[in-house]
Amino acid sequence: RRSSDLMKKLLFALIIALGAINAQAQKTPHAIGAHFGGSTIDLEYQYHFSKRNFLDVTAGVFNLSDGFAMQAVYNWNFKQWPQWTPRFATWKFWGGFGGGIGHYEHDDYDGMFIGPVGTIGFGFTLKDVPFTLGLDYRPMVAFNLGHGDAIIDRGFRNIGLTLTYRF
């Protein structure tokens, strides 16, 4: 019987600790996730300075296998709608700008590229779990600096889904 009481107390303490971790997770400035776009598939890290702005850093494949890219974009939450679905999620509209760098090998282009990046997105953050799901457009004007100097147009078709977890 004593062992049973101890197990109940440990289980209760574990439930309280997990609840506290979940509550704390929703208040931290960090988020990790993935972006699945028309020209990139990225791992994503976000640092939220406040409810109004955040830095989004991504790294992944470019043009789905022809290279890799890293991007950093400073974003603003232009508008939030917490009352659209008050029990479900807070809806958001965001946008920002930044830059990117990478390497590309395809047909006539080969080498490093750099360029400005923009973002515009719409999505929601769940009320009970710190997940955000969004649809965004992340165009990049990529200037190829290697063989075949040109603007790589594949960065213009980067419409995709983003999923992040705030921890």
Side-chain angles (χ1 to χ4, degrees):
R1 174 164 176 121
R2 187 172 180 210
S3 174
S4 175
D5 288 341
L6 180 61
M7 288 300 286
K8 287 178 186 176
K9 289 178 183 178
L10 285 174
L11 182 60
F12 180 72
L14 180 63
I15 290 170
I16 296 296
L18 289 175
I21 289 171
N22 188 39
Q24 181 64 23
Q26 296 179 26
K27 295 179 181 180
T28 68
H30 307 282
I32 58 170
H35 177 262
F36 304 95
S39 60
T40 63
I41 297 175
D42 303 304
L43 294 177
E44 184 169 16
Y45 169 77
Q46 294 177 349
Y47 182 83
H48 293 256
F49 297 102
S50 69
K51 288 184 177 185
R52 295 192 172 272
N53 52 14
F54 62 96
L55 178 66
D56 189 13
V57 179
T58 61
V61 296
F62 183 76
N63 199 34
L64 305 183
S65 70
D66 295 327
F68 65 89
M70 292 178 22
Q71 300 176 345
V73 177
Y74 188 87
N75 289 282
W76 292 268
N77 286 318
F78 297 129
K79 183 72 176 163
Q80 294 188 35
W81 297 273
Q83 299 306 321
W84 275 8
T85 52
R87 292 184 182 178
F88 174 66
T90 297
W91 294 81
K92 301 175 183 182
F93 175 60
W94 68 88
F97 64 90
I101 187 168
H103 187 270
Y104 186 63
E105 291 183 26
H106 182 74
D107 295 338
D108 296 331
Y109 308 121
D110 183 12
M112 186 177 105
F113 64 84
I114 61 170
V117 178
T119 298
I120 190 131
F122 181 76
F124 60 88
T125 300
L126 297 174
K127 297 275 184 170
D128 295 331
V129 183
F131 279 106
T132 299
L133 178 66
L135 175 67
D136 60 17
Y137 178 52
R138 297 181 181 190
M140 177 178 187
V141 180
F143 298 99
N144 189 32
L145 303 177
H147 174 74
D149 296 340
I151 295 176
I152 302 170
D153 65 353
R154 275 118 182 123
F156 295 131
R157 61 179 185 215
N158 202 17
I159 297 172
L161 291 174
T162 186
L163 175 67
T164 59
Y165 173 74
R166 198 113 174 233
F167 63 95

